[in-house]
Amino acid sequence: TTPCLFFFAFSCPPHTMCSQEEFSALLKNVTNPDNTIRAQAEKTLQDAKQNPNWLVPALLEFARASQDPVVAHISVVMLRRYVSRTSDGLFDKLDAATQNQVKATLLALVAQPHAPPILKGLAHCVSGLGCQLLESGWPELMPALFDIIKTGDVAAQCAVLIIFTALAPHFSDEALAAQSPALKEMCSFTLQHPSVNVKIHTVELVMELVTYIKVNAQLQAFQQLLPLLIGAIGQALTDSAWTAAERGVQCFIALAEVSPEFFAPHLKDVFAPFLEITQSTALDPNLRRLAFEFTITMAETDPKAVRKVPQYLGASVPLAMQLQLTLEHEADWASSPEEDDEEATNFDFGVEALDRLAVALGGKKMHPVVSPLIMEYLQSADWKHRNAGLWSLSQVAEGCVKEFKPLLNQIVPLIKKGLEDPHERVRHAAITCMSQFCVEFSPDFQAANHATFLPLLMQRMTDVPRVAALAAQSCINFMEGADKEDTAPYLDALLTAMLQLLQSSPQRFVSEAVVSAITAIASHAEGLFEKYYSTITPWLKTVITAAAVPKADRLLRAKALECLSRVALAVGKQRFAADAPEVLEAMKRMQTGPLEADDPLGAYLLRSWGRMAECLGPDMGDYYQAVMPPLIAQVSLQTDITITDEDGQDAEEGVQSLTLALKGLGEKRISIKTSALEEKTLACAVLAQVLEAGGAVLLPFVEQLVPVLVPLLKFAYVEDVRENAAECMPALVKCVAGGAVPAGMVQQLVHHIVPSLMDAVKQEPNSAVKAAQLSALGACLEAGPAGILGDALVGDLVGLAQKALADGAAARDKLRTQKRACDDEDDAEEWDAEMEAEEEAMCQALDLTTVLLKTEPAFLPHWQTTFYPQYTALLGKGLFETRLSLCAAASFLEHHAAGAAAPHVAAIAEALCSHCDPQGADPDIVQVACYGLGEGCAQGAPFAPYAPTAVQRLGAVLTAHATADAEWESAVCNACSALLKAHAAGAGAAVEALLPQVLGALPMKGDEEEGRYVHGRVAELLEQGHAVVGAHREVVARMARAVRGTAFADEATEARLKALGL
């Protein structure tokens, strides 16, 4: 029997003095809508916590005995809070007798009939208390719960299963191992119970337990329950208990995300019923999608196992494509924008499923299954099939890149046909497909198909509004990978079509799409966009300078500002100068004016300031005063993680929360303000851009920036913040070094930043970020005066670089071993990607040692005794290792050919010449060798004995690959650069004979830095009246047109070409 706890009416503590009726009213007032009454009730209960031996039993009694369901519910909710380990927890404050009484009463109450909400609340009370006392302090708990399972009614059994599910994370490994047999036996019993609710609660328990089981034998024991677990969902379907069925399937999905190995040995048998659910059109659409979601999740978390399931793709791919046929064509579709917040449909799920399956399982498995179906769908007379075929082609492209690449000549006509389809939805799908192929097969797709697709896209800009908007927007993806020489002939017609669409369409979403497309074209065309500046800019200025902007036009204004800043960057400071004051003044008004929380302008404005700074540099002048304070404030936003008790309340907007059952602590809500994280990340990226552009003008802000940015080198939550903070460091040094500062200030800053960067490198887990930090270290040294470090810091950097190289080599060896042991081609590609990340970090470590070699005399002995032998030993160990070794040799020649490197010049020349092989299998190695020979030849006398052989080898590379494909483009560019360096150093007739070939290979776009050198040297020779270059003036003119306004020509070259009339 339940102990009677109703004693408070006779023994109320002095500060409460309440009767049973008064206490009941007090509890009801906790939810009173009147703020004053509710606040008073909450205060009275807070005071009552001073006597927990009275309050806790009182709440327990009201939960048991109150006839008022509201009072009973409030009692059990508050009781849960007080007996659980929360900030309000009172159990530890109870005397021993009351503790024992509470424990016994709770167990007794769970076994008795109650209204469902009350029983569920009591179960939560038991689990909340049990989480604290599971290992010690409540020996009666487990036996009592097992007993209720055997003897209790359905409601009590469900309550106990809820309790066990909540307790699962709190078992120690030893306790879980000890209880595992009994729990497995209990689950076997309840999974055979006639009640579907008992069965589904058991499914939830098993999936929770399996998450924490670490012993294979115990895992295998629970795997024996798989038929019963699947049967539980089957009974729910038979009983039309749709909610229960969904709960069961969601449990399978949740476990597949974290412990797919539980299902892997029996995957064929597990998948069959889930695919059957997905195929059943009689079932609820959401349930069908959940069942499919489980199999897709397994494909993502354990692709190796899923690839071995016979006919899985043969069943799932047709399902995904059939789901797309449920699409309904709304009457207003053509004139309506795409809404991000639309409810997901079967069509959406089918499209996403194909993408996820292709990426997870790889093209080798996907292509043979999906491609015949796509062809079948595309040949259908039904527009829905053709639409689904194009969407499917688009979605599987990312996973089937290797398989589709040889078939592009066959695929392109299918997309082209779709662009001319009689149905607007099919034309829309074809544009989507083309855009995706631009991403996946860039730049080859654009280079081969610009003549096919750009004219068609212009035609589609006269289509119905939704298709026209997408046609314009698709130019973003097309331009991103296209070559300016290919797109230049279309710019007039393309921009004319866009401006006509902008002027003729009343739909705002069309205008937004067109402005975004013009933004992309400006970024792509760079200097070529100057021709259209006077046409585009007035309209953009009108939009951004408008005094009043309706809420519906806010996004258009933001996009117009983005476009104008991109246009300014494309045409350059000189062309933009006349409009700059008006635009900057408008931006200043935006920055200082009020901005509503839902106005998208904020992020666009910040990015636009960055581009304006990049365009105008120091000439942005006083406007830096408008942007820097808010930028610093945004970078300084606090984004710490908070851990609070789980109270069931919704998180505030802009905050992401995750509720976890933490062993020994109960349920905790872990929250982080994601909106602040996003703002901080953006501000840090813009700040790196602004600092690099502003230079010494920003000197007044350095004192504020250093204490804000340096800690961000170790910012735990976002890799981009750490990377951008690292990029800011050399910009800070340049800012101080270029300003009028007291003597020693630059050294003081460098001696603060360099150790901070070194500490960040040591702690950095991400190889890409580590590479950025190492790069920043080198850039900091280059920004300051030579010899700024001193012996101690040089020694520290030596150790850091050695460790970075050793760690990278060790990681690559480990990954190489894993790749050799891997029998799955798609997994092997993942190892390759990880090895590339390690390569980048090692390359930056090499660059750091190269900078030290150039700037720090104290480093030279370390290079000679440690690094040069280390790099030399890498030669021939592998493709990457050989490239690294040759790069190191080239650096040694560049900086010390006549000094410390002199004894090694012959060996270096031999290594470089032997790898400058036109028949070499690896063009990247040939590129490095060409670069090294160029650096050697540029040194003149120290390398003169080896220059003839070098020129001969460089000429052979140029002859063999001048018209070759893109993979040799960088090697050819470096060969041409090296030949021109040899020519400048006086190599003579041998290079003269090769000059026509060098000129024939223009323009040089395989390597930005070496391309600039080639174009500059050619312009210089023409200016000097060189006969061979003069005879090829038309070639040089073509080069001038191709490189003007791009990164492949510096200001001096552009000025020289202009003076030459080119």
Side-chain angles (χ1 to χ4, degrees):
T1 61
T2 307
C4 180
L5 300 177
F6 187 61
F7 59 85
F8 57 88
F10 308 102
S11 57
C12 284
H15 61 272
T16 53
M17 296 303 293
C18 56
S19 66
Q20 179 179 359
E21 292 76 15
E22 289 171 334
F23 192 69
S24 179
L26 179 67
L27 292 174
K28 291 188 77 168
N29 283 339
V30 171
T31 59
N32 195 299
D34 187 301
N35 290 339
T36 303
I37 296 173
R38 186 174 65 254
Q40 182 59 47
E42 290 171 349
K43 183 180 183 304
T44 302
L45 283 170
Q46 185 68 23
D47 292 341
K49 287 170 61 178
Q50 297 176 29
N51 193 338
N53 287 310
W54 173 83
L55 180 59
V56 173
L59 290 169
L60 188 55
E61 178 61 16
F62 268 89
R64 181 192 72 82
S66 177
Q67 298 303 305
D68 187 328
V70 174
V71 172
H73 181 69
I74 294 170
S75 298
V76 79
V77 169
M78 296 187 68
L79 183 65
R80 178 188 181 187
R81 185 188 307 168
Y82 293 151
V83 300
S84 300
R85 184 171 288 171
T86 67
S87 57
D88 290 326
L90 296 176
F91 188 80
D92 290 342
K93 298 177 182 179
L94 301 177
D95 59 40
T98 307
Q99 286 183 346
N100 290 332
Q101 192 177 30
V102 170
K103 290 188 290 185
T105 305
L106 279 172
L107 288 176
L109 289 177
V110 169
Q112 295 174 359
H114 297 280
I118 304 304
L119 184 56
K120 186 175 181 180
L122 289 167
H124 287 313
C125 290
V126 173
S127 62
L129 184 56
C131 291
Q132 305 176 57
L133 307 176
L134 188 60
E135 300 290 326
S136 61
W138 204 353
E140 304 87 2
L141 177 62
M142 297 295 289
L145 295 178
F146 283 130
D147 186 61
I148 295 172
I149 288 291
K150 293 177 183 176
T151 62
D153 61 14
V154 168
Q157 290 171 324
C158 289
V160 168
L161 291 166
I162 290 172
I163 293 169
F164 272 127
T165 303
L167 292 177
H170 299 274
F171 284 107
S172 66
D173 294 343
E174 296 77 11
L176 185 57
Q179 295 289 347
S180 183
L183 288 167
K184 188 259 181 179
E185 183 181 349
M186 180 196 74
C187 291
S188 179
F189 170 75
T190 52
L191 282 169
Q192 298 175 70
H193 196 285
S195 165
V196 71
N197 281 335
V198 172
K199 287 183 174 179
I200 295 301
H201 277 298
T202 308
V203 173
E204 291 170 336
L205 170 58
V206 170
M207 298 308 179
E208 187 71 13
L209 286 169
V210 166
T211 304
Y212 299 98
I213 290 175
K214 298 180 179 178
V215 180
N216 282 337
Q218 295 169 11
L219 191 68
Q220 290 167 5
F222 277 92
Q223 284 172 337
Q224 296 169 10
L225 300 176
L226 272 170
L228 294 174
L229 293 166
I230 295 170
I233 297 173
Q235 183 180 335
L237 295 175
T238 301
D239 294 354
S240 299
W242 310 123
T243 301
E246 285 187 12
R247 280 169 48 206
V249 176
Q250 285 168 339
C251 289
F252 273 71
I253 295 169
L255 188 60
E257 289 174 346
V258 295
S259 300
E261 65 277 4
F262 179 71
F263 303 108
H266 310 281
L267 213 48
K268 178 183 176 183
D269 296 330
V270 173
F271 270 21
F274 282 89
L275 289 172
E276 189 176 336
I277 293 171
T278 308
Q279 290 170 317
S280 176
T281 56
L283 293 176
D284 176 71
N286 188 54
L287 180 59
R288 294 176 63 199
R289 291 196 292 265
L290 284 172
F292 203 178
E293 175 64 30
F294 165 67
T295 68
I296 297 169
T297 301
M298 280 297 302
E300 291 175 322
T301 54
D302 195 352
K304 191 172 182 179
V306 174
R307 288 188 195 109
K308 295 177 181 177
V309 177
Q311 293 304 308
Y312 168 62
L313 283 177
S316 60
V317 169
L319 276 175
M321 294 185 69
Q322 288 162 17
L323 286 173
Q324 296 177 55
L325 300 179
T326 61
L327 181 69
E328 296 298 328
H329 185 52
E330 303 87 352
D332 63 346
W333 178 89
S335 57
S336 302
E338 295 187 41
E339 299 290 349
D340 292 334
D341 56 355
E342 288 180 350
E343 185 178 346
T345 63
N346 277 346
F347 174 84
D348 299 323
F349 189 86
V351 164
E352 183 185 337
L354 286 176
D355 176 31
R356 293 168 64 191
L357 287 171
V359 172
L361 301 180
K364 189 175 180 181
K365 287 285 185 182
M366 192 71 169
H367 168 54
V369 178
V370 74
S371 293
L373 285 170
I374 289 173
M375 291 301 299
E376 178 186 327
Y377 272 51
L378 290 177
Q379 292 164 8
S380 172
D382 180 2
W383 73 265
K384 289 186 178 182
H385 281 76
R386 299 196 302 277
N387 182 71
L390 285 164
W391 270 103
S392 300
L393 182 61
S394 168
Q395 293 303 105
V396 300
E398 181 182 358
C400 297
V401 167
K402 189 183 295 184
E403 289 71 25
F404 280 1
K405 195 167 186 178
L407 304 175
L408 284 178
N409 287 339
Q410 301 170 42
I411 293 172
V412 165
L414 303 177
I415 303 173
K416 180 178 181 292
K417 185 177 179 182
L419 281 163
E420 299 167 323
D421 195 274
H423 200 284
E424 58 203 22
R425 293 295 286 262
V426 180
R427 298 194 297 274
H428 186 272
I431 296 172
T432 301
C433 187
M434 185 221 69
S435 295
Q436 188 64 35
F437 272 66
C438 286
V439 173
E440 304 303 338
F441 300 95
S442 175
D444 296 344
F445 186 82
Q446 289 92 322
N449 299 294
H450 54 84
T452 299
F453 287 119
L454 287 177
L456 281 172
L457 287 176
M458 287 184 262
Q459 289 179 27
R460 294 283 66 84
M461 288 180 206
T462 62
D463 210 316
V464 298
R466 193 154 173 177
V467 175
L470 187 64
Q473 206 163 7
S474 68
C475 292
I476 298 172
N477 285 353
F478 198 98
M479 294 297 164
E480 195 165 302
D483 190 285
K484 281 187 280 293
E485 289 185 47
D486 291 334
T487 57
Y490 304 97
L491 290 181
D492 284 354
L494 198 56
L495 285 163
T496 298
M498 287 185 178
L499 289 171
Q500 287 173 350
L501 180 57
L502 195 62
Q503 293 161 3
S504 64
S505 176
Q507 282 93 349
R508 189 177 296 104
F509 74 91
V510 175
S511 299
E512 291 167 358
V514 172
V515 171
S516 293
I518 293 173
T519 302
I521 292 173
S523 297
H524 165 77
E526 295 180 315
L528 298 178
F529 198 83
E530 187 173 350
K531 178 180 178 182
Y532 314 102
Y533 179 83
S534 58
T535 304
I536 301 290
T537 303
W539 185 89
L540 294 172
K541 283 169 47 180
T542 300
V543 175
I544 69 166
T545 58
V549 180
K551 190 169 185 176
D553 288 339
R554 286 174 177 175
L555 182 58
L556 180 60
R557 175 179 66 167
K559 286 180 175 289
L561 177 60
E562 175 188 40
C563 184
L564 188 50
S565 65
R566 290 278 189 188
V567 167
L569 202 55
V571 301
K573 178 168 60 176
Q574 187 174 353
R575 184 67 178 88
F576 179 63
D579 293 300
E582 183 182 2
V583 174
L584 291 172
E585 197 60 36
M587 291 174 66
K588 183 179 178 181
R589 288 195 299 272
M590 295 176 195
Q591 186 70 63
T592 55
L595 201 64
E596 293 184 21
D598 60 346
D599 192 331
L601 179 63
Y604 282 88
L605 179 58
L606 211 57
R607 292 190 186 95
S608 296
W609 278 121
R611 286 188 283 270
M612 289 298 181
E614 191 175 340
C615 172
L616 300 171
D619 292 342
M620 201 166 84
D622 292 343
Y623 289 100
Y624 283 112
Q625 301 293 330
V627 68
M628 289 302 289
L631 199 53
I632 294 171
Q634 193 163 317
V635 168
S636 305
L637 286 172
Q638 295 302 307
T639 53
D640 290 337
I641 285 178
T642 58
I643 301 178
T644 57
D645 295 323
E646 168 55 35
D647 54 11
Q649 297 179 2
D650 293 334
E652 63 179 288
E653 188 175 351
V655 174
Q656 271 194 356
S657 296
L658 176 67
T659 299
L660 295 176
L662 300 177
K663 190 170 288 188
L665 296 176
E667 289 189 337
K668 295 291 180 181
R669 171 177 282 175
I670 301 174
S671 304
I672 189 163
K673 196 165 186 179
T674 50
S675 58
L677 267 183
E678 291 164 2
E679 291 173 20
K680 191 183 192 85
T681 303
L682 170 61
C684 203
V686 173
L687 194 51
Q689 190 177 15
V690 169
L691 281 171
E692 181 65 29
V697 173
L698 298 175
L699 188 60
F701 298 100
V702 170
E703 191 173 348
Q704 289 174 264
L705 285 167
V706 171
V708 171
L709 288 172
V710 169
L712 296 183
L713 294 170
K714 300 177 185 176
F715 187 71
Y717 310 131
V718 182
E719 292 166 356
D720 285 348
V721 169
R722 301 197 298 276
E723 189 167 339
N724 287 321
E727 290 175 8
C728 287
M729 296 300 116
L732 287 171
V733 176
K734 287 179 187 175
C735 180
V736 175
V741 297
M745 186 174 174
V746 178
Q747 185 175 38
Q748 183 181 354
L749 180 63
V750 169
H751 280 239
H752 177 62
I753 285 177
V754 167
S756 300
L757 269 170
M758 285 195 290
D759 286 343
V761 170
K762 292 171 187 174
Q763 297 178 26
E764 179 56 54
N766 181 278
S767 297
V769 177
K770 183 182 290 187
Q773 292 167 340
L774 288 166
S775 175
L777 275 168
C780 284
L781 302 186
E782 289 186 297
I788 196 171
L789 288 181
D791 291 352
L793 273 182
V794 167
D796 292 340
L797 281 170
V798 165
L800 183 77
Q802 280 184 299
K803 188 173 188 309
L805 289 166
D807 288 350
R812 279 177 52 77
D813 287 342
K814 182 179 178 181
L815 289 166
R816 201 179 285 115
T817 301
Q818 290 172 326
K819 181 180 176 181
R820 280 196 294 264
C822 177
D823 59 357
D824 189 290
E825 183 177 335
D826 294 290
D827 286 344
E829 290 180 3
E830 293 181 16
W831 303 133
D832 287 340
E834 290 189 42
M835 279 198 280
E836 285 178 12
E838 295 297 338
E839 286 178 11
E840 180 59 23
M842 292 178 72
C843 285
Q844 293 302 333
L846 167 63
D847 288 348
L848 175 59
T849 60
T850 300
V851 172
L852 286 166
L853 190 63
K854 179 170 61 173
T855 62
E856 293 291 333
F859 178 72
L860 185 56
H862 295 287
W863 173 273
Q864 291 176 292
T865 59
T866 302
F867 289 100
Y868 182 66
Q870 185 177 353
Y871 289 133
T872 303
L874 293 175
L875 196 65
K877 279 198 167 185
L879 295 178
F880 168 71
E881 287 78 6
T882 297
R883 291 201 303 273
L884 203 68
S885 178
L886 294 175
C887 281
S891 297
F892 203 10
L893 276 180
E894 181 182 359
H895 302 297
H896 293 280
H904 308 283
V905 169
I908 292 173
E910 183 181 352
L912 291 171
C913 286
S914 66
H915 287 90
C916 188
D917 179 5
Q919 307 305 318
D922 187 82
D924 291 335
I925 287 180
V926 178
Q927 175 264 317
V928 174
C930 290
Y931 169 77
L933 289 176
E935 291 304 316
C937 291
Q939 304 307 312
F943 200 78
Y946 317 102
T949 304
V951 168
Q952 184 269 324
R953 302 295 285 176
L954 292 164
V957 170
L958 177 58
T959 300
H961 298 292
T963 59
D965 55 27
E967 67 175 353
W968 280 94
E969 194 174 12
S970 181
V972 169
C973 182
N974 276 265
C976 291
S977 174
L979 286 167
L980 289 174
K981 289 173 185 176
H983 184 269
V991 178
E992 286 282 339
L994 290 167
L995 278 179
Q997 284 182 258
V998 171
L999 295 169
L1002 294 174
M1004 294 277 116
K1005 295 193 175 180
D1007 184 308
E1008 196 172 288
E1009 186 173 343
E1010 299 308 308
R1012 274 198 301 272
Y1013 175 82
V1014 170
H1015 303 140
R1017 180 61 181 155
V1018 168
E1020 187 179 3
L1021 288 172
L1022 184 61
E1023 184 183 55
Q1024 293 170 359
H1026 190 281
V1028 175
V1029 178
H1032 291 78
R1033 184 181 176 88
E1034 186 52 43
V1035 172
V1036 181
R1038 185 185 64 197
M1039 175 200 85
R1041 290 192 295 272
V1043 303
R1044 183 175 293 116
T1046 74
F1048 293 95
D1050 57 26
E1051 290 183 7
T1053 299
E1054 294 223 26
R1056 188 169 275 128
L1057 290 170
K1058 188 174 182 179
L1060 289 166
L1062 302 176

